Amino acid sequence: MRPLRLLALAALASSQALLKPQPSSFNSTFTLTAAQIAAANLSAAVANNVNVAAQFERSNWATGSVRDDPFYTSLPANASSAAAGAVLKVEAWTDTSRYTVPPTLALSRIVYQSLTLNGTRVPVSAYVLWPYLPRRHRGGAGGRKTAPLVSWGHGTSGLFAECAPSHIRNLWYQFSAPYALALAGYAVVGTDYAGMGVPFFPDGGNITHQYIASPAAGNDLLYAAQAAQAAFPDRLSKEFVVMGHSQGGGAAWAAAQQQLTARVPGYLGTVAGSPVTNPIELTVALGNSLGLLLTAKSFLSVFGELSLSDMLTPAGVAAVNLLDEIQGCNSVFNTLLGDLLAADPRLALTRDEFVSSPYARLFGNLTLAGDRDFAGPMLVLQGTADQNVPEPLTTEYVNKTCAAFPHHELRYVRASAVSHTPVMYATQQIWMDWLDERFGAGVGGGHGRRRDGEGFGRHTGRCIVQEIGSDAPQPLGHYQGGLNYFLEYSLDDYQVA
Ligand SMILES: *[C@@H]1O[C@H](CO)[C@@H](O)[C@H](O)[C@H]1NC(C)=O
Ligand SMILES: *[C@@H]1O[C@H](CO)[C@@H](O)[C@H](O)[C@H]1NC(C)=O
Ligand SMILES: *[C@@H]1O[C@H](CO)[C@@H](O)[C@H](O)[C@H]1NC(C)=O
Ligand SMILES: *[C@@H]1O[C@H](CO)[C@@H](O)[C@H](O)[C@H]1NC(C)=O
Ligand SMILES: *[C@@H]1O[C@H](CO)[C@@H](O)[C@H](O)[C@H]1NC(C)=O
Ligand SMILES: *[C@@H]1O[C@H](CO)[C@@H](O)[C@H](O)[C@H]1NC(C)=O
Ligand SMILES: *[C@@H]1O[C@H](CO)[C@@H](O)[C@H](O)[C@H]1NC(C)=O
């Protein structure tokens, strides 16, 4: 299996260290302080579980804390004056030895200028994942060594600076899209979104991540593409597609709306997987509590006159403050909230009446993805068994958008019996073909697959609705339902299987 290792054995023999079983421990000794445990009223069991989840998260930091990494904290002098889409910093080569990226991919990181929801300039970090063999594309003719560019929007990783995919070993979404894209020959610029990664504005103020405010993250997606092209002009295509899933699906859809005014050159279209459309309707559909906890700080960043206690009970405020203080991301969030509610199912963390307040209505209107004009074409992907973004909500917004803007090309693919992140796997052939069509490669098929809407689906103007799953060779219930693997960092050669 690993001949080099065998050949190297003789050389190693004299300096042999004792092997340890993996994992022998996390690479983190994080422990809540007594004051933190008391302030959040945690039982010993909950505190233990939060410690374990935080140690897990921190063990997955490829480059340590973003607060200790000058890449994220030290900005050049032009950071306050540069226009949106400007590149502020380039790390042309990022050492991947502490990441879990597939062989024959390479990594860079950039910091660039984006715009928050109200148009304030904000510095944002992103990774660029490079293919080895660029995929054939229209702009790649004439011997230019450019790779076609996809600007990727990740789903929820958390709310805080430390939740940035660019410093997580598997770049957070791994094979569901960014690894698959890069292995298929695309360069992927993966924004962290404003407030994750780069923690401070140039004046030193904290950047709040405007969670689920899709147009803000949509700006991050568009300007990430523009900045990556500025950073690597000879190596990236002049054209790009925006793509995202979940929070990032909403961001991608909103990017298509923002593009009407942003007009970033080279835009070819959008892929929106399991998109957040109306964040307020989604919060209500999911039963308020978790959604409001995640969104509370985002509300504050939009409506300065609000305070956390307008949205959350004292227990909810304590939970959000603890998460902020310890920079807890998805694992810590889910562990803390799950444990608190398991210990006391009647524990109220949110003031659910807030979702019918004028603030919530206005936030919903300001942040809507869908039922708005957009720069087409767009491909929307949705699983019918999605627990996080219910299929009827996405269908409702596809319907509204198609009815209001029937001249735009919108293709909606519904995957039967497929859940949230797995929809990106179930539909991979569809979005890969769609990307080829956008970039002008392989036009006319040649892959032996059916083309848009051919022989199936419903046409409504230029809207095409397509259902998949009925051709599956096995009964739908036999398919692996969720994502039950995780890419673990290997500490020694014997662990690579
Ligand atoms: C703290 O939690 C316990 C249950 O673990 C509960 O009985 C008590 O009321 C809580 N105290 C406060 C101040 O919320
Ligand atoms: C463990 O974390 C420390 C501190 O962040 C870092 O210096 C070290 O490289 C990490 N070890 C591994 C194996 O990632
Ligand atoms: C901002 O300054 C950095 C560092 O000097 C430079 O690399 C970058 O190109 C500048 N960006 C713009 C848009 O001028
Ligand atoms: C715009 O939003 C930023 C944060 O994104 C905030 O600091 C600023 O005060 C807001 N400006 C206005 C005019 O609301
Ligand atoms: C900025 O964030 C840090 C860490 O979360 C926090 O300790 C500090 O109070 C914040 N500063 C302001 C002005 O909000
Ligand atoms: C929602 O926003 C749209 C445009 O963005 C505006 O025309 C409409 O009046 C707003 N509706 C409400 C209820 O605020
Ligand atoms: C969407 O439109 C289709 C076709 O008109 C209709 O059958 C379906 O009920 C609509 N669904 C929702 C959730 O609006």
Side-chain angles (χ1 to χ4, degrees):
M1 282 283 285
R2 299 172 65 84
L4 283 179
R5 172 96 170 102
L6 294 179
L7 288 174
L9 274 182
L12 280 176
S14 56
S15 59
Q16 193 63 63
L18 286 181
L19 291 175
K20 286 188 221 136
Q22 160 131 357
S24 56
S25 68
F26 289 133
N27 188 31
S28 162
T29 53
F30 174 88
T31 321
L32 289 165
T33 65
Q36 287 167 334
I37 293 169
N41 192 29
L42 305 183
S43 69
V46 177
N48 170 76
N49 292 352
V50 167
N51 286 340
V52 170
Q55 288 166 10
F56 170 80
E57 279 181 351
R58 288 163 185 242
S59 297
N60 285 312
W61 293 350
T63 52
S65 165
V66 296
R67 286 166 197 278
D68 299 333
D69 184 344
F71 175 77
Y72 298 99
T73 55
S74 157
L75 298 176
N78 58 16
S80 34
S81 59
V87 60
L88 302 177
K89 282 181 89 156
V90 181
E91 181 181 79
W93 176 63
T94 302
D95 181 358
T96 47
S97 64
R98 295 209 184 283
Y99 287 82
T100 53
V101 305
T104 74
L105 300 185
L107 196 67
S108 306
R109 292 188 294 183
I110 60 172
V111 176
Y112 66 100
Q113 195 82 298
S114 185
L115 301 174
T116 67
L117 190 66
N118 70 10
T120 302
R121 288 173 185 176
V122 63
V124 181
S125 44
Y127 66 80
V128 182
L129 188 63
W130 296 93
Y132 174 79
L133 182 64
R135 193 172 187 88
R136 198 155 55 89
H137 64 110
R138 183 171 50 220
R144 280 164 46 220
K145 292 177 197 153
T146 62
L149 178 62
V150 173
S151 184
W152 166 250
H154 65 87
T156 303
S157 58
L159 305 174
F160 307 111
E162 299 289 11
C163 311
S166 69
H167 88 137
I168 295 175
R169 291 193 203 277
N170 67 10
L171 302 177
W172 185 240
Y173 254 63
Q174 33 123 332
F175 283 101
S176 64
Y179 290 2
L181 284 163
L183 290 169
Y186 293 96
V188 181
V189 59
T191 181
D192 286 330
Y193 302 139
M196 289 191 254
V198 176
F200 311 120
F201 284 105
D203 70 3
N206 288 333
I207 303 172
T208 299
H209 171 54
Q210 297 186 298
Y211 181 69
I212 237 164
S214 297
N219 291 341
D220 297 341
L221 281 166
L222 291 171
Y223 295 124
Q226 191 171 15
Q229 288 166 328
F232 305 101
D234 308 328
R235 288 180 249 172
L236 294 175
S237 61
K238 303 260 179 282
E239 299 174 317
F240 68 96
V241 164
V242 167
M243 181 168 172
H245 178 255
S246 193
Q247 178 189 5
W253 191 323
Q257 298 170 178
Q258 297 296 98
Q259 172 63 5
L260 293 177
T261 48
R263 299 194 172 162
V264 174
Y267 172 83
L268 294 177
T270 287
V271 182
S274 321
V276 173
T277 49
N278 183 323
I280 304 303
E281 283 184 52
L282 178 62
T283 299
V284 172
L286 297 180
N288 296 335
S289 292
L290 297 186
L292 260 184
L293 280 166
L294 283 165
T295 321
K297 293 232 159 193
S298 190
F299 271 104
L300 295 193
S301 80
V302 178
F303 307 112
E305 66 272 29
L306 286 177
S307 64
L308 284 183
S309 55
D310 291 319
M311 294 161 269
L312 309 177
T313 65
V317 172
V320 166
N321 285 339
L322 177 68
L323 288 165
D324 195 348
E325 203 174 313
I326 67 174
Q327 295 279 296
C329 302
N330 265 30
S331 301
V332 172
F333 181 90
N334 290 332
T335 301
L336 175 65
L337 275 301
D339 280 11
L340 286 175
L341 292 171
D344 179 3
R346 290 158 307 141
L347 177 67
L349 295 162
T350 53
R351 301 194 188 281
D352 291 352
E353 67 278 12
F354 181 81
V355 296
S356 27
S357 70
Y359 289 109
R361 271 203 301 282
L362 185 52
F363 185 89
N365 194 32
L366 283 173
T367 62
L368 202 57
D371 200 16
R372 296 271 196 270
D373 199 2
F374 66 98
M378 180 151 62
L379 171 65
V380 179
L381 310 165
Q382 177 68 47
T384 65
D386 194 323
Q387 306 279 7
N388 302 68
V389 174
E391 177 267 325
L393 185 59
T394 303
T395 303
E396 177 194 333
Y397 276 88
V398 167
N399 280 3
K400 285 180 172 169
T401 310
C402 286
F405 306 98
H407 53 292
H408 289 326
E409 196 177 319
L410 192 162
R411 181 168 167 200
Y412 181 37
V413 176
R414 262 193 310 236
S416 295
V418 173
S419 61
H420 191 56
T421 307
V423 78
M424 298 309 291
Y425 295 80
T427 60
Q428 189 184 101
Q429 296 180 65
I430 291 171
W431 50 261
M432 285 284 185
D433 281 356
W434 195 89
L435 289 175
D436 274 341
E437 285 159 21
R438 299 284 86 64
F439 284 104
V443 180
H447 298 285
R449 285 193 284 277
R450 293 177 294 198
R451 299 173 59 198
D452 282 29
E454 192 179 286
F456 59 98
R458 281 195 315 277
H459 295 249
T460 319
R462 300 196 67 196
C463 276
I464 299 168
V465 183
Q466 178 185 343
E467 318 277 345
I468 61 165
S470 59
D471 290 347
Q474 287 290 315
L476 295 182
H478 289 194
Y479 287 89
Q480 168 64 26
L483 206 62
N484 64 1
Y485 64 83
F486 158 76
L487 299 181
E488 194 164 22
Y489 184 60
S490 160
L491 295 163
D492 211 306
D493 280 358
Y494 85 86
Q495 293 151 343
V496 178

Coordinates of all heavy atoms in Angstrom, one line a residue, residues 137-139 147-151 186 222 225 229 237-243 255-256 259 263-271 374-379 409 434-441:
H137 N -13.2 24.5 -20.3 CA -14.2 25.5 -20.3 C -13.9 26.5 -21.4 O -12.8 26.6 -21.9 CB -14.2 26.3 -18.9 CG -13.0 27.0 -18.6 ND1 -12.9 28.4 -18.6 CD2 -11.7 26.6 -18.3 CE1 -11.7 28.7 -18.2 NE2 -10.9 27.7 -18.0
R138 N -14.9 27.2 -21.8 CA -14.9 28.2 -22.9 C -13.7 29.1 -22.8 O -13.0 29.3 -23.7 CB -16.2 28.9 -23.0 CG -16.4 29.9 -24.1 CD -17.8 30.4 -24.1 NE -18.2 30.9 -22.8 CZ -19.4 30.6 -22.2 NH1 -20.3 30.0 -22.9 NH2 -19.7 31.1 -21.1
G139 N -13.6 29.7 -21.6 CA -12.6 30.8 -21.3 C -11.2 30.1 -21.3 O -10.2 30.9 -21.2
A147 N -8.4 28.0 -14.4 CA -9.4 27.0 -13.9 C -10.7 27.8 -13.8 O -10.7 28.9 -13.3 CB -9.0 26.5 -12.6
P148 N -11.8 27.1 -14.2 CA -13.1 27.8 -14.1 C -13.4 28.0 -12.6 O -13.2 27.1 -11.8 CB -14.1 26.8 -14.7 CG -13.4 25.5 -14.8 CD -11.9 25.8 -14.8
L149 N -14.0 29.1 -12.2 CA -14.1 29.5 -10.8 C -15.6 29.3 -10.3 O -16.5 29.8 -11.0 CB -13.7 31.0 -10.7 CG -13.8 31.6 -9.3 CD1 -12.9 30.9 -8.3 CD2 -13.5 33.1 -9.3
V150 N -15.7 28.7 -9.2 CA -17.0 28.6 -8.5 C -16.8 29.3 -7.1 O -15.9 29.0 -6.4 CB -17.4 27.2 -8.3 CG1 -18.7 27.1 -7.4 CG2 -17.7 26.5 -9.6
S151 N -17.7 30.2 -6.8 CA -17.7 30.9 -5.5 C -18.7 30.1 -4.6 O -19.9 30.1 -4.9 CB -18.1 32.4 -5.6 OG -18.0 33.0 -4.4
Y186 N -12.6 22.4 -11.0 CA -12.9 23.8 -10.7 C -12.0 24.4 -9.6 O -11.6 23.6 -8.7 CB -14.4 23.9 -10.2 CG -15.4 23.5 -11.3 CD1 -15.9 22.3 -11.4 CD2 -15.7 24.5 -12.3 CE1 -16.7 21.9 -12.5 CE2 -16.6 24.2 -13.3 CZ -17.1 22.9 -13.4 OH -17.9 22.6 -14.4
L222 N -20.3 37.2 -4.1 CA -19.9 37.9 -5.4 C -18.5 38.5 -5.3 O -17.7 38.4 -6.2 CB -21.0 39.0 -5.7 CG -22.4 38.5 -6.0 CD1 -23.3 39.7 -6.0 CD2 -22.4 37.8 -7.4
A225 N -15.5 36.2 -5.5 CA -15.1 35.8 -6.9 C -14.3 36.9 -7.5 O -13.2 36.7 -8.1 CB -16.4 35.5 -7.7
Q229 N -10.3 36.6 -8.5 CA -9.8 36.9 -9.9 C -8.7 37.9 -9.9 O -7.8 37.9 -10.7 CB -11.0 37.3 -10.8 CG -11.9 36.1 -11.1 CD -13.2 36.5 -11.6 OE1 -13.7 37.6 -11.3 NE2 -13.8 35.7 -12.5
S237 N -10.6 31.6 -14.3 CA -11.4 32.1 -15.4 C -12.0 33.5 -15.1 O -12.1 33.8 -14.0 CB -12.6 31.1 -15.6 OG -13.4 31.1 -14.5
K238 N -12.3 34.2 -16.2 CA -12.9 35.5 -16.0 C -14.4 35.4 -15.6 O -15.0 36.3 -15.2 CB -12.8 36.4 -17.3 CG -11.3 36.6 -17.7 CD -10.8 37.9 -17.4 CE -9.4 38.1 -17.8 NZ -8.4 37.4 -16.9
E239 N -14.9 34.2 -15.8 CA -16.3 33.9 -15.5 C -16.4 33.1 -14.3 O -15.4 32.4 -13.9 CB -16.9 33.2 -16.7 CG -16.9 34.0 -18.0 CD -17.4 33.2 -19.2 OE1 -17.0 32.0 -19.3 OE2 -18.1 33.7 -20.0
F240 N -17.5 33.2 -13.6 CA -17.7 32.4 -12.4 C -19.2 32.1 -12.1 O -20.1 32.8 -12.6 CB -17.1 33.2 -11.2 CG -17.9 34.4 -10.8 CD1 -18.9 34.4 -9.8 CD2 -17.7 35.6 -11.5 CE1 -19.6 35.5 -9.5 CE2 -18.4 36.8 -11.1 CZ -19.4 36.7 -10.2
V241 N -19.4 31.0 -11.4 CA -20.7 30.6 -10.9 C -20.7 30.7 -9.4 O -19.7 30.5 -8.8 CB -21.1 29.2 -11.4 CG1 -22.3 28.6 -10.6 CG2 -21.3 29.2 -12.9
V242 N -21.9 31.2 -8.9 CA -22.1 31.2 -7.4 C -22.8 30.0 -7.0 O -23.8 29.5 -7.7 CB -22.8 32.5 -7.0 CG1 -23.3 32.4 -5.6 CG2 -22.0 33.7 -7.2
M243 N -22.4 29.4 -5.9 CA -23.1 28.1 -5.5 C -23.1 28.1 -4.0 O -22.1 28.6 -3.3 CB -22.3 27.0 -6.1 CG -22.8 25.6 -5.8 SD -21.9 24.4 -6.9 CE -22.5 22.9 -6.1
A255 N -27.3 36.3 -3.8 CA -26.2 36.9 -4.7 C -26.8 37.1 -6.1 O -26.4 38.1 -6.7 CB -25.0 35.9 -4.7
A256 N -27.7 36.2 -6.5 CA -28.3 36.4 -7.8 C -29.1 37.7 -7.8 O -29.2 38.4 -8.8 CB -29.1 35.2 -8.2
Q259 N -26.7 40.8 -7.6 CA -25.9 40.9 -8.8 C -26.6 42.0 -9.7 O -25.9 42.6 -10.5 CB -25.7 39.6 -9.5 CG -25.1 39.6 -10.9 CD -23.7 40.2 -11.0 OE1 -23.1 40.4 -9.9 NE2 -23.1 40.3 -12.2
R263 N -23.3 43.9 -10.2 CA -22.8 43.8 -11.5 C -21.3 43.4 -11.6 O -20.5 44.0 -12.2 CB -22.9 45.1 -12.3 CG -24.4 45.4 -12.4 CD -24.6 46.5 -13.5 NE -26.1 46.6 -13.6 CZ -26.7 47.6 -14.1 NH1 -26.0 48.6 -14.6 NH2 -28.0 47.6 -14.2
V264 N -21.0 42.4 -10.8 CA -19.6 41.8 -10.8 C -19.4 41.2 -12.2 O -20.2 40.3 -12.6 CB -19.4 40.9 -9.7 CG1 -18.0 40.2 -9.8 CG2 -19.5 41.6 -8.3
P265 N -18.3 41.6 -12.9 CA -18.1 41.0 -14.3 C -17.9 39.5 -14.2 O -17.3 39.0 -13.3 CB -16.9 41.7 -14.8 CG -16.7 42.9 -13.9 CD -17.3 42.6 -12.6
G266 N -18.5 38.8 -15.2 CA -18.2 37.4 -15.4 C -19.2 36.5 -14.8 O -19.0 35.2 -14.9
Y267 N -20.2 37.0 -14.2 CA -21.2 36.2 -13.5 C -22.0 35.3 -14.5 O -22.6 35.8 -15.5 CB -22.2 37.1 -12.7 CG -23.4 36.4 -12.1 CD1 -23.3 35.8 -10.9 CD2 -24.6 36.4 -12.8 CE1 -24.4 35.1 -10.3 CE2 -25.7 35.8 -12.2 CZ -25.6 35.2 -11.0 OH -26.7 34.5 -10.5
L268 N -22.1 34.0 -14.2 CA -22.8 33.1 -15.1 C -24.1 32.5 -14.6 O -24.8 31.9 -15.3 CB -21.8 31.9 -15.5 CG -20.6 32.2 -16.3 CD1 -19.8 30.9 -16.5 CD2 -20.9 32.8 -17.7
G269 N -24.3 32.7 -13.3 CA -25.5 32.1 -12.7 C -25.3 31.5 -11.3 O -24.1 31.6 -10.8
T270 N -26.3 30.9 -10.8 CA -26.3 30.5 -9.3 C -26.9 29.1 -9.1 O -27.9 28.7 -9.8 CB -27.2 31.5 -8.5 OG1 -26.5 32.7 -8.4 CG2 -27.5 31.0 -7.2
V271 N -26.2 28.4 -8.2 CA -26.8 27.1 -7.8 C -27.1 27.3 -6.3 O -26.2 27.6 -5.5 CB -25.8 25.9 -7.9 CG1 -26.5 24.6 -7.4 CG2 -25.3 25.8 -9.3
F374 N -33.9 38.6 -10.1 CA -32.6 38.1 -9.9 C -31.9 37.9 -11.2 O -32.6 37.9 -12.3 CB -32.7 36.7 -9.2 CG -33.3 35.6 -10.0 CD1 -32.6 34.7 -10.7 CD2 -34.7 35.5 -10.0 CE1 -33.2 33.7 -11.5 CE2 -35.3 34.5 -10.8 CZ -34.6 33.6 -11.5
A375 N -30.6 37.8 -11.2 CA -29.8 37.6 -12.4 C -29.7 36.1 -12.6 O -29.2 35.4 -11.8 CB -28.4 38.2 -12.3
G376 N -30.4 35.6 -13.7 CA -30.4 34.2 -14.0 C -29.2 33.7 -14.7 O -28.3 34.6 -15.1
P377 N -29.1 32.5 -15.1 CA -30.0 31.4 -14.7 C -29.7 30.9 -13.3 O -28.7 31.2 -12.7 CB -29.8 30.3 -15.7 CG -28.3 30.6 -16.1 CD -28.1 32.0 -16.0
M378 N -30.7 30.2 -12.7 CA -30.5 29.6 -11.4 C -31.0 28.2 -11.3 O -32.0 27.8 -12.0 CB -31.3 30.5 -10.4 CG -31.2 30.0 -9.0 SD -31.4 31.3 -7.7 CE -33.0 31.8 -8.1
L379 N -30.3 27.4 -10.6 CA -30.6 26.0 -10.3 C -30.9 25.9 -8.8 O -30.0 26.2 -8.0 CB -29.4 25.1 -10.8 CG -29.5 23.6 -10.4 CD1 -30.7 22.9 -11.1 CD2 -28.2 22.9 -10.7
E409 N -34.7 32.1 -16.3 CA -34.5 30.7 -16.3 C -34.3 30.2 -14.8 O -33.3 30.6 -14.2 CB -33.3 30.3 -17.2 CG -33.2 28.9 -17.6 CD -32.0 28.7 -18.5 OE1 -31.8 29.5 -19.4 OE2 -31.4 27.6 -18.3
W434 N -24.8 21.1 -15.1 CA -25.3 22.5 -15.2 C -24.1 23.5 -15.3 O -24.1 24.4 -16.0 CB -26.2 22.8 -14.0 CG -27.0 24.0 -14.1 CD1 -28.3 24.2 -14.6 CD2 -26.7 25.3 -13.6 NE1 -28.7 25.4 -14.5 CE2 -27.7 26.2 -13.8 CE3 -25.5 25.8 -12.9 CZ2 -27.8 27.5 -13.5 CZ3 -25.5 27.2 -12.6 CH2 -26.6 28.0 -12.8
L435 N -23.0 23.2 -14.5 CA -21.8 24.0 -14.5 C -21.2 23.9 -15.9 O -20.7 24.9 -16.4 CB -20.9 23.6 -13.4 CG -21.3 23.9 -12.0 CD1 -20.2 23.3 -11.0 CD2 -21.3 25.4 -11.7
D436 N -21.1 22.7 -16.4 CA -20.5 22.6 -17.8 C -21.2 23.4 -18.8 O -20.6 24.1 -19.6 CB -20.5 21.1 -18.2 CG -19.3 20.3 -17.7 OD1 -18.3 20.9 -17.4 OD2 -19.4 19.1 -17.7
E437 N -22.6 23.4 -18.7 CA -23.4 24.3 -19.6 C -23.1 25.7 -19.4 O -22.9 26.5 -20.4 CB -24.9 24.0 -19.4 CG -25.3 22.7 -20.0 CD -26.6 22.2 -19.4 OE1 -27.4 23.0 -18.8 OE2 -26.9 21.0 -19.4
R438 N -22.9 26.2 -18.2 CA -22.6 27.6 -17.9 C -21.3 28.0 -18.5 O -21.1 29.0 -19.1 CB -22.6 27.9 -16.4 CG -24.0 27.7 -15.7 CD -25.0 28.7 -16.0 NE -25.8 28.5 -17.3 CZ -26.6 27.5 -17.5 NH1 -26.8 26.5 -16.6 NH2 -27.2 27.4 -18.6
F439 N -20.3 27.1 -18.2 CA -18.9 27.5 -18.6 C -18.6 27.1 -20.1 O -17.5 27.3 -20.6 CB -17.9 26.8 -17.7 CG -17.7 27.4 -16.4 CD1 -18.3 26.9 -15.2 CD2 -17.0 28.6 -16.2 CE1 -18.2 27.4 -14.0 CE2 -16.9 29.2 -15.0 CZ -17.5 28.6 -13.9
G440 N -19.7 26.6 -20.8 CA -19.6 26.3 -22.2 C -18.7 25.2 -22.5 O -18.2 25.1 -23.6
A441 N -18.6 24.2 -21.6 CA -17.8 23.0 -21.9 C -18.8 21.9 -22.1 O -19.8 21.8 -21.5 CB -16.9 22.7 -20.8

